[in-house]
Amino acid sequence: MELLPHRPDLDSVDPDLDLSAEIKRLRAEKKAIILAHYYQEPAVQDLADFVGDSLQLAIEARKAKADVILFCGVHFMAETAKILNPNSIVVLPDMDAGCSLADRCHAEIFREWLKDYPDHVVISYINCSAGVKALSDIICTSANAVSVVNSVPADKKIVFAPDRHLGHWVSVQTGRGMALYPGFCIVHEQFTPRRVAAMKVQSPEAKLIVHPECDISISAKADFVGSTAAMLNFIAKDTGKTFLIGTEPGIIYQMKKLRPDAEFLPIPADSGRNGSLCPYMKLNTLEKVYLALRDMKPEIVLDEALRQRALKPMEAMLLLR
Ligand code: 13P
Ligand code: SF4
């Protein structure tokens, strides 16, 4: 069967291959570094040179001196790496590893939507395409969204895109009213107060720690709200023994390493399906990581003029950090 040009050729992988050893060999041969997000499967996280949240990964990508950045995350993250480091070849194990926030906010639709908000400062969450970044004044991540919003002079009006839940939470933290683009994450939107309440009955002592992509009805009740890296910092220092985790459960792998004495209970999706796994993040597998390094594809390619326009709001964010 003929494959679409960007689909990994899984049939070409020798089933007897020691994938981890081959990936390490190819990484050295190609002068590559492997960056991975906390939602990647444990075997992928273990192979990475650096595991982090979106902000940390962007910073690592920018300073990388490698010929190749193999980005084990989703498309907008790999594209951000290319925006910040155009001299490295950036490959993503599966080009279909999108993001519901980025994929549902097309640049052309966003451009139209912005016409209703002239004279507003445009703050976009890093979970968006290069096209949307290029239409923004400043980018934020979940780690620095509050500081980014606070950096905007009080007399300026703000639009925040594309995550309405993160926008709502930041608005509560900062007291700034903002026009919110109606996007959401299909993973975090699955968590409901009903599920959390049921878990609290089972584990009344457990602390609720959540990502700000959750609905405000969840984050308002949480003991801690923060980016994936901030959640890890929180549990590392906290004295609690049981935590309810309101984000993609891939992060629990690192949580257990930091706190082997504690228990981490993922909040299940309310739909009953395994909705708390990010279907995009989980497209990357060891086999595809191997193929991406072996074949140097799929590669992130960006129009240079677009890259330059998307770089500006990224730099504005990195200057604030
Ligand atoms: P972090 O920046 O907190 O890692 O979040 C990225 C993300 O996609 C959360 O769903
Ligand atoms: Fe996007 Fe949500 Fe997946 Fe994060 S968890 S990459 S926001 S779909």
Side-chain angles (χ1 to χ4, degrees):
M1 192 181 69
E2 208 173 316
L3 292 167
L4 291 168
H6 67 278
R7 294 307 305 154
D9 185 5
L10 293 171
D11 288 342
S12 72
V13 181
D14 175 354
D16 295 329
L17 208 62
D18 177 343
L19 285 173
S20 295
E22 265 309 288
I23 290 167
K24 285 180 189 158
R25 187 187 67 73
L26 284 167
R27 169 171 56 189
E29 183 186 300
K30 312 263 176 162
K31 297 189 176 57
I33 60 160
I34 303 178
L35 303 182
H37 189 265
Y38 293 121
Y39 297 163
Q40 294 295 284
E41 63 175 66
V44 173
Q45 291 190 39
D46 280 347
L47 275 171
D49 296 285
F50 184 84
V51 187
D53 71 1
S54 309
L55 179 61
Q56 295 170 324
L57 289 166
I59 293 165
E60 285 300 311
R62 183 166 71 153
K63 68 179 191 213
K65 296 279 183 279
D67 291 355
V68 178
I69 297 173
L70 173 64
F71 207 111
C72 299
V74 290
H75 186 273
F76 79 82
M77 296 178 175
E79 191 176 63
T80 302
K82 188 69 184 176
I83 292 168
L84 293 168
N85 191 337
N87 296 326
S88 296
I89 293 171
V90 179
V91 282
L92 177 68
D94 193 315
M95 212 47 146
D96 289 339
C99 165
S100 57
L101 281 163
D103 298 353
R104 293 179 188 182
C105 181
H106 291 279
E108 282 320 307
I109 294 170
F110 188 53
R111 189 196 299 276
E112 283 303 305
W113 185 79
L114 285 177
K115 285 183 181 161
D116 286 341
Y117 304 98
D119 308 323
H120 282 57
V121 174
V122 181
I123 302 182
S124 293
Y125 186 33
I126 197 166
N127 295 38
C128 66
S129 65
V132 167
K133 286 185 175 75
L135 294 167
S136 309
D137 295 304
I138 186 162
I139 303 301
C140 71
T141 76
S142 54
N144 61 17
V146 168
S147 322
V148 169
V149 169
N150 278 333
S151 76
V152 177
D155 60 332
K156 296 269 185 208
K157 289 184 277 188
I158 301 174
V159 295
F160 189 96
D163 186 358
R164 65 175 183 221
H165 297 307
L166 175 64
H168 192 166
W169 179 74
V170 173
S171 182
V172 172
Q173 303 308 302
T174 59
R176 295 289 291 265
M178 302 191 288
L180 305 178
Y181 190 86
F184 60 91
C185 160
I186 54 164
V187 174
H188 292 84
E189 183 135 309
Q190 297 278 334
F191 305 135
T192 62
R194 206 169 66 97
R195 282 278 167 180
V196 173
M199 291 182 82
K200 277 274 190 191
V201 170
Q202 297 295 318
S203 311
E205 76 295 351
K207 289 190 178 165
L208 174 63
I209 66 167
V210 308
H211 196 277
E213 287 174 14
C214 292
D215 187 274
I216 199 77
S217 58
I218 305 276
S219 46
K221 290 202 184 91
D223 295 287
F224 181 75
V225 183
S227 77
T228 50
M231 289 167 100
L232 283 165
N233 284 338
F234 178 82
I235 62 102
K237 294 188 189 124
D238 195 71
T239 52
K241 290 281 186 208
T242 311
F243 299 93
L244 307 183
I245 306 302
T247 195
E248 215 273 1
I251 196 173
I252 293 176
Y253 181 57
Q254 297 292 339
M255 288 178 165
K256 284 184 176 158
K257 282 193 193 177
L258 284 168
R259 287 288 311 277
D261 60 312
E263 193 181 11
F264 301 99
L265 307 172
I267 302 172
D270 214 22
S271 62
R273 73 175 175 92
N274 204 357
S276 57
L277 293 182
C278 173
Y280 308 103
M281 286 278 182
K282 296 310 196 235
L283 281 176
N284 297 327
T285 59
L286 270 196
E287 277 182 319
K288 293 180 196 170
V289 170
Y290 160 71
L291 284 173
L293 267 184
R294 187 192 73 182
D295 301 341
M296 285 293 108
K297 64 178 192 186
E299 183 184 351
I300 304 286
V301 180
L302 259 182
D303 171 75
E304 180 55 16
L306 173 63
R307 189 191 74 78
Q308 293 280 355
R309 280 184 277 125
L311 180 61
K312 268 181 139 176
M314 281 297 304
E315 282 184 334
M317 172 188 85
L318 293 168
L319 272 175
L320 266 188
R321 192 172 60 85

Coordinates of all heavy atoms in Angstrom, one line a residue, residues 57-126:
L57 N 10.8 23.9 26.7 CA 11.2 23.3 25.5 C 11.6 24.4 24.4 O 12.5 24.2 23.6 CB 10.1 22.4 25.0 CG 9.9 21.1 25.8 CD1 8.6 20.4 25.5 CD2 11.1 20.1 25.6
A58 N 10.8 25.5 24.4 CA 11.1 26.5 23.5 C 12.5 27.1 23.8 O 13.3 27.4 22.9 CB 10.0 27.6 23.6
I59 N 12.8 27.3 25.0 CA 14.1 27.9 25.4 C 15.2 26.9 25.0 O 16.2 27.3 24.5 CB 14.1 28.2 26.9 CG1 13.1 29.4 27.2 CG2 15.5 28.6 27.4 CD1 12.7 29.6 28.6
E60 N 15.0 25.6 25.3 CA 16.0 24.6 24.9 C 16.2 24.6 23.4 O 17.4 24.5 22.9 CB 15.6 23.2 25.4 CG 15.7 23.0 26.9 CD 17.2 23.2 27.4 OE1 18.1 22.6 26.8 OE2 17.4 23.9 28.4
A61 N 15.1 24.7 22.7 CA 15.2 24.6 21.2 C 16.0 25.9 20.7 O 16.8 25.8 19.8 CB 13.8 24.6 20.6
R62 N 15.7 27.0 21.3 CA 16.4 28.2 20.9 C 17.9 28.2 21.1 O 18.7 28.6 20.2 CB 15.8 29.5 21.6 CG 16.5 30.8 21.1 CD 15.7 32.0 21.5 NE 15.9 32.3 22.9 CZ 15.8 33.5 23.4 NH1 15.6 34.5 22.7 NH2 16.0 33.6 24.7
K63 N 18.3 27.6 22.2 CA 19.8 27.6 22.5 C 20.5 26.3 21.9 O 21.7 26.3 22.0 CB 20.0 27.8 23.9 CG 19.6 26.7 24.9 CD 20.0 27.0 26.3 CE 19.8 25.9 27.2 NZ 19.4 26.2 28.5
A64 N 19.7 25.4 21.3 CA 20.3 24.2 20.8 C 21.4 24.4 19.7 O 21.1 25.2 18.9 CB 19.3 23.2 20.3
K65 N 22.5 23.7 19.8 CA 23.5 23.9 18.8 C 23.6 22.7 17.9 O 24.4 22.6 17.0 CB 24.9 24.0 19.5 CG 25.1 25.2 20.4 CD 25.4 26.5 19.5 CE 25.6 27.7 20.4 NZ 24.4 28.3 20.8
A66 N 22.6 21.8 18.0 CA 22.6 20.5 17.3 C 22.2 20.8 15.8 O 21.5 21.7 15.5 CB 21.6 19.6 17.9
D67 N 22.7 19.8 14.9 CA 22.3 19.9 13.5 C 20.8 19.6 13.4 O 20.1 20.1 12.5 CB 23.0 18.9 12.7 CG 24.5 19.2 12.6 OD1 24.9 20.3 13.0 OD2 25.3 18.4 12.0
V68 N 20.3 18.7 14.3 CA 18.9 18.3 14.2 C 18.3 18.3 15.6 O 18.9 18.0 16.6 CB 18.9 16.8 13.7 CG1 17.5 16.2 13.7 CG2 19.6 16.6 12.4
I69 N 17.0 18.8 15.6 CA 16.2 18.8 16.8 C 15.1 17.8 16.5 O 14.3 18.0 15.6 CB 15.6 20.1 17.2 CG1 16.7 21.1 17.5 CG2 14.6 20.0 18.4 CD1 16.2 22.6 17.7
L70 N 15.1 16.6 17.2 CA 14.0 15.7 17.1 C 13.0 16.1 18.2 O 13.3 15.9 19.4 CB 14.5 14.3 17.2 CG 13.4 13.2 17.3 CD1 12.6 13.2 16.0 CD2 13.9 11.9 17.6
F71 N 11.8 16.6 17.8 CA 10.9 17.1 18.8 C 9.8 16.1 19.1 O 8.9 15.8 18.2 CB 10.3 18.4 18.3 CG 9.9 19.3 19.4 CD1 10.6 20.5 19.7 CD2 8.9 18.9 20.3 CE1 10.2 21.3 20.8 CE2 8.5 19.7 21.4 CZ 9.2 20.9 21.6
C72 N 9.8 15.6 20.3 CA 8.8 14.6 20.7 C 7.7 15.3 21.5 O 7.8 15.5 22.7 CB 9.4 13.5 21.5 SG 10.6 12.6 20.5
G73 N 6.8 15.9 20.7 CA 5.7 16.7 21.3 C 4.7 16.8 20.2 O 4.6 15.9 19.4
V74 N 4.0 17.9 20.1 CA 3.1 18.1 19.0 C 3.5 19.2 18.1 O 4.5 19.9 18.3 CB 1.7 18.4 19.6 CG1 1.1 17.2 20.3 CG2 1.7 19.6 20.6
H75 N 2.8 19.3 17.0 CA 3.2 20.1 15.8 C 3.6 21.6 16.2 O 4.6 22.1 15.8 CB 2.2 20.1 14.7 CG 2.7 20.8 13.5 ND1 2.5 22.1 13.3 CD2 3.3 20.3 12.4 CE1 3.0 22.5 12.1 NE2 3.5 21.4 11.5
F76 N 2.7 22.2 17.0 CA 3.0 23.6 17.3 C 4.3 23.8 18.1 O 5.0 24.8 18.0 CB 1.8 24.3 18.1 CG 1.7 24.0 19.5 CD1 2.5 24.7 20.4 CD2 0.9 23.0 20.0 CE1 2.4 24.5 21.8 CE2 0.8 22.8 21.4 CZ 1.6 23.5 22.3
M77 N 4.7 22.8 18.9 CA 5.9 22.8 19.7 C 7.1 22.7 18.7 O 8.1 23.4 18.9 CB 5.9 21.7 20.7 CG 4.9 21.8 21.8 SD 4.9 20.5 22.9 CE 3.7 21.0 24.1
A78 N 7.0 21.8 17.8 CA 8.1 21.6 16.8 C 8.2 22.8 15.9 O 9.3 23.3 15.6 CB 7.9 20.3 16.0
E79 N 7.1 23.4 15.5 CA 7.1 24.6 14.7 C 7.7 25.8 15.5 O 8.5 26.6 14.9 CB 5.7 24.9 14.3 CG 5.6 25.9 13.2 CD 4.2 26.2 12.7 OE1 3.3 26.6 13.5 OE2 3.9 25.9 11.5
T80 N 7.4 25.8 16.8 CA 8.0 26.9 17.6 C 9.5 26.7 17.6 O 10.3 27.7 17.6 CB 7.4 26.8 19.0 OG1 6.0 27.0 18.9 CG2 7.9 27.9 19.9
A81 N 10.0 25.5 17.7 CA 11.4 25.2 17.7 C 12.0 25.7 16.4 O 13.1 26.4 16.5 CB 11.7 23.7 17.9
K82 N 11.4 25.5 15.3 CA 11.9 26.0 14.0 C 11.9 27.5 14.0 O 12.8 28.1 13.4 CB 11.0 25.4 12.9 CG 11.6 25.6 11.5 CD 12.9 24.9 11.3 CE 13.5 25.2 9.9 NZ 14.8 24.5 9.8
I83 N 10.8 28.1 14.5 CA 10.7 29.6 14.5 C 12.0 30.2 15.3 O 12.6 31.1 14.8 CB 9.4 30.1 15.2 CG1 8.2 29.7 14.3 CG2 9.4 31.6 15.5 CD1 6.9 29.9 15.0
L84 N 12.3 29.5 16.4 CA 13.4 30.0 17.2 C 14.8 29.6 16.8 O 15.7 30.2 17.2 CB 13.1 29.6 18.7 CG 11.9 30.2 19.4 CD1 11.6 29.4 20.7 CD2 12.1 31.6 19.6
N85 N 14.8 28.5 16.1 CA 16.1 28.0 15.7 C 16.1 27.5 14.2 O 16.1 26.3 14.0 CB 16.5 26.8 16.6 CG 17.9 26.4 16.5 OD1 18.5 26.6 15.4 ND2 18.5 25.7 17.5
P86 N 16.1 28.5 13.3 CA 15.9 28.1 11.9 C 17.1 27.3 11.3 O 17.0 26.7 10.2 CB 15.7 29.5 11.2 CG 16.4 30.4 12.1 CD 16.2 29.9 13.5
N87 N 18.2 27.4 12.0 CA 19.4 26.7 11.4 C 19.4 25.2 11.7 O 20.2 24.5 11.0 CB 20.7 27.4 12.0 CG 20.8 28.8 11.5 OD1 20.4 29.1 10.4 ND2 21.3 29.7 12.4
S88 N 18.7 24.7 12.6 CA 18.6 23.3 12.8 C 17.5 22.7 12.0 O 16.4 23.3 11.8 CB 18.3 23.0 14.3 OG 19.4 23.5 15.1
I89 N 17.7 21.5 11.6 CA 16.6 20.7 11.0 C 15.7 20.2 12.1 O 16.2 19.7 13.1 CB 17.2 19.4 10.2 CG1 18.0 19.9 9.0 CG2 16.1 18.5 9.8 CD1 18.8 18.7 8.4
V90 N 14.4 20.5 12.0 CA 13.5 20.1 13.1 C 12.6 19.0 12.5 O 11.9 19.1 11.5 CB 12.6 21.2 13.6 CG1 11.7 20.7 14.7 CG2 13.5 22.4 14.1
V91 N 12.6 17.8 13.2 CA 11.7 16.7 12.8 C 10.8 16.3 13.9 O 11.1 16.5 15.1 CB 12.5 15.5 12.3 CG1 13.1 15.7 10.9 CG2 13.7 15.1 13.2
L92 N 9.6 15.9 13.5 CA 8.6 15.5 14.4 C 8.2 14.1 14.1 O 7.9 13.8 12.9 CB 7.4 16.5 14.2 CG 6.1 16.3 14.9 CD1 6.3 16.6 16.4 CD2 5.0 17.2 14.4
P93 N 8.2 13.1 15.0 CA 7.9 11.7 14.7 C 6.6 11.5 13.9 O 6.6 10.6 13.0 CB 7.9 11.0 16.0 CG 8.7 11.9 16.9 CD 8.5 13.3 16.5
D94 N 5.6 12.3 14.2 CA 4.3 12.1 13.5 C 3.7 13.4 13.1 O 3.4 14.2 14.1 CB 3.3 11.3 14.3 CG 2.2 10.8 13.5 OD1 1.6 11.6 12.7 OD2 1.8 9.6 13.6
M95 N 3.7 13.7 11.9 CA 3.2 15.1 11.4 C 1.7 15.3 11.8 O 1.2 16.4 11.8 CB 3.4 15.2 9.9 CG 3.6 16.6 9.4 SD 4.9 17.4 10.4 CE 5.7 18.4 9.1
D96 N 1.0 14.2 12.1 CA -0.4 14.3 12.5 C -0.6 14.7 14.0 O -1.7 14.7 14.5 CB -1.2 13.1 12.2 CG -1.4 12.9 10.7 OD1 -1.3 14.0 10.0 OD2 -1.6 11.8 10.2
A97 N 0.6 14.8 14.7 CA 0.5 15.1 16.1 C 0.1 16.6 16.3 O 1.0 17.5 16.4 CB 1.8 14.8 16.8
G98 N -1.2 16.9 16.2 CA -1.6 18.3 16.2 C -2.0 18.7 17.7 O -1.4 18.1 18.6
C99 N -3.0 19.5 17.8 CA -3.4 20.0 19.1 C -4.8 20.6 18.8 O -4.9 21.4 17.9 CB -2.4 21.0 19.7 SG -3.1 22.0 21.0
S100 N -5.8 20.3 19.7 CA -7.1 20.8 19.4 C -7.2 22.3 19.4 O -8.0 22.9 18.7 CB -8.1 20.2 20.4 OG -7.8 20.4 21.7
L101 N -6.3 22.9 20.3 CA -6.3 24.4 20.4 C -5.8 25.0 19.1 O -6.4 25.9 18.5 CB -5.5 24.8 21.5 CG -6.1 24.7 22.9 CD1 -5.1 24.8 24.0 CD2 -7.2 25.8 23.1
A102 N -4.6 24.5 18.7 CA -3.9 25.1 17.5 C -4.7 24.7 16.2 O -4.9 25.6 15.4 CB -2.5 24.5 17.4
D103 N -5.3 23.5 16.1 CA -5.9 23.1 14.9 C -7.3 23.7 14.7 O -7.7 23.8 13.5 CB -6.1 21.6 14.9 CG -4.7 20.8 14.9 OD1 -3.7 21.5 14.8 OD2 -4.7 19.6 15.0
R104 N -7.9 24.2 15.7 CA -9.2 24.8 15.6 C -9.2 26.3 15.6 O -10.2 27.0 15.8 CB -10.1 24.3 16.7 CG -10.4 22.8 16.5 CD -11.3 22.3 17.6 NE -11.4 20.9 17.5 CZ -12.2 20.1 18.3 NH1 -12.9 20.7 19.2 NH2 -12.2 18.8 18.2
C105 N -8.0 26.9 15.4 CA -7.9 28.3 15.3 C -7.0 28.7 14.1 O -5.8 28.9 14.2 CB -7.2 28.9 16.6 SG -7.0 30.7 16.6
H106 N -7.7 28.6 12.9 CA -7.0 28.8 11.7 C -6.6 30.3 11.6 O -7.4 31.2 12.0 CB -7.8 28.4 10.5 CG -8.0 26.9 10.4 ND1 -7.1 26.1 9.9 CD2 -9.0 26.1 10.9 CE1 -7.5 24.9 10.0 NE2 -8.6 24.8 10.6
A107 N -5.5 30.6 11.0 CA -5.0 32.0 10.9 C -6.0 32.9 10.2 O -6.3 34.0 10.6 CB -3.7 32.0 10.2
E108 N -6.6 32.4 9.1 CA -7.6 33.2 8.4 C -8.8 33.5 9.2 O -9.3 34.7 9.2 CB -7.9 32.5 7.0 CG -6.9 32.6 6.0 CD -6.2 34.0 5.9 OE1 -6.9 35.0 5.9 OE2 -4.9 34.1 6.0
I109 N -9.3 32.5 9.9 CA -10.5 32.8 10.8 C -10.1 33.7 11.9 O -10.9 34.6 12.3 CB -11.0 31.4 11.3 CG1 -11.5 30.6 10.1 CG2 -12.1 31.6 12.4 CD1 -11.9 29.2 10.4
F110 N -8.9 33.5 12.4 CA -8.5 34.4 13.5 C -8.3 35.8 13.1 O -8.7 36.8 13.8 CB -7.1 33.8 14.0 CG -6.6 34.5 15.3 CD1 -7.4 34.6 16.4 CD2 -5.3 35.0 15.4 CE1 -6.9 35.2 17.6 CE2 -4.8 35.6 16.5 CZ -5.6 35.7 17.6
R111 N -7.8 36.0 11.9 CA -7.6 37.4 11.3 C -9.0 38.1 11.3 O -9.2 39.2 11.6 CB -7.0 37.3 9.9 CG -6.6 38.6 9.4 CD -6.3 38.6 7.9 NE -5.3 37.6 7.5 CZ -4.0 37.9 7.5 NH1 -3.6 39.1 7.8 NH2 -3.1 37.0 7.2
E112 N -10.0 37.3 10.8 CA -11.4 37.9 10.7 C -11.9 38.2 12.1 O -12.5 39.3 12.3 CB -12.3 36.9 10.0 CG -12.2 36.8 8.5 CD -12.4 38.1 7.8 OE1 -13.4 38.8 8.1 OE2 -11.5 38.5 7.1
W113 N -11.7 37.3 13.0 CA -12.2 37.5 14.4 C -11.6 38.7 15.0 O -12.3 39.5 15.7 CB -11.9 36.2 15.2 CG -12.4 36.2 16.6 CD1 -13.6 35.9 17.0 CD2 -11.6 36.4 17.8 NE1 -13.7 35.9 18.4 CE2 -12.5 36.3 18.9 CE3 -10.3 36.8 18.1 CZ2 -12.1 36.4 20.2 CZ3 -9.9 37.0 19.4 CH2 -10.8 36.8 20.5
L114 N -10.3 38.9 14.7 CA -9.6 40.1 15.3 C -10.2 41.4 14.9 O -10.1 42.4 15.5 CB -8.1 40.0 15.0 CG -7.3 39.0 15.8 CD1 -5.9 39.0 15.3 CD2 -7.3 39.3 17.3
K115 N -10.9 41.4 13.7 CA -11.4 42.7 13.2 C -12.5 43.3 14.1 O -12.7 44.5 14.1 CB -12.1 42.4 11.8 CG -11.0 42.2 10.7 CD -11.7 42.1 9.4 CE -10.5 41.9 8.3 NZ -11.0 41.3 7.1
D116 N -13.1 42.4 15.0 CA -14.0 43.0 16.0 C -13.3 43.6 17.2 O -14.0 44.2 18.1 CB -14.9 41.8 16.5 CG -15.9 41.4 15.5 OD1 -16.2 42.2 14.6 OD2 -16.5 40.3 15.6
Y117 N -12.0 43.5 17.2 CA -11.3 44.0 18.4 C -10.1 44.9 18.0 O -8.9 44.6 18.3 CB -10.7 42.8 19.2 CG -11.8 41.9 19.6 CD1 -12.1 40.7 18.9 CD2 -12.7 42.2 20.7 CE1 -13.1 39.9 19.3 CE2 -13.7 41.4 21.1 CZ -13.9 40.2 20.4 OH -15.0 39.4 20.7
P118 N -10.4 46.0 17.3 CA -9.3 46.9 16.9 C -8.7 47.5 18.2 O -9.4 47.6 19.2 CB -10.0 47.9 16.0 CG -11.4 47.9 16.4 CD -11.7 46.5 16.9
D119 N -7.5 47.9 18.1 CA -6.8 48.6 19.2 C -6.7 47.7 20.5 O -6.5 48.2 21.6 CB -7.6 49.9 19.7 CG -7.8 50.8 18.5 OD1 -7.0 50.9 17.6 OD2 -8.9 51.4 18.4
H120 N -6.8 46.4 20.3 CA -6.5 45.5 21.4 C -5.1 44.9 21.3 O -4.6 44.7 20.2 CB -7.5 44.3 21.4 CG -8.9 44.6 21.9 ND1 -9.7 45.6 21.4 CD2 -9.6 44.0 22.9 CE1 -10.8 45.6 22.0 NE2 -10.8 44.7 23.0
V121 N -4.5 44.6 22.4 CA -3.2 43.9 22.4 C -3.6 42.4 22.2 O -4.5 41.9 22.9 CB -2.5 44.1 23.7 CG1 -1.2 43.2 23.8 CG2 -2.1 45.6 23.9
V122 N -2.9 41.8 21.3 CA -3.3 40.4 21.0 C -2.3 39.4 21.7 O -1.1 39.4 21.3 CB -3.3 40.1 19.5 CG1 -3.6 38.6 19.2 CG2 -4.2 41.1 18.8
I123 N -2.8 38.7 22.7 CA -1.9 37.8 23.4 C -2.4 36.4 23.0 O -3.5 36.0 23.1 CB -2.1 37.9 24.9 CG1 -1.7 39.3 25.4 CG2 -1.2 36.8 25.6 CD1 -1.8 39.5 26.9
S124 N -1.4 35.6 22.4 CA -1.8 34.2 22.0 C -1.0 33.2 22.8 O 0.2 33.4 23.0 CB -1.6 34.0 20.5 OG -2.5 34.8 19.8
Y125 N -1.7 32.2 23.2 CA -1.1 31.1 23.9 C -0.2 30.3 22.9 O -0.6 30.2 21.7 CB -2.3 30.2 24.3 CG -1.9 29.0 25.2 CD1 -0.9 29.0 26.1 CD2 -2.7 27.8 25.2 CE1 -0.6 27.9 26.9 CE2 -2.5 26.7 26.0 CZ -1.4 26.8 26.8 OH -1.2 25.7 27.6
I126 N 0.9 29.8 23.3 CA 1.9 29.2 22.4 C 1.3 28.0 21.6 O 1.8 27.7 20.6 CB 3.1 28.8 23.2 CG1 4.3 28.5 22.3 CG2 2.8 27.6 24.1 CD1 5.7 28.4 23.0

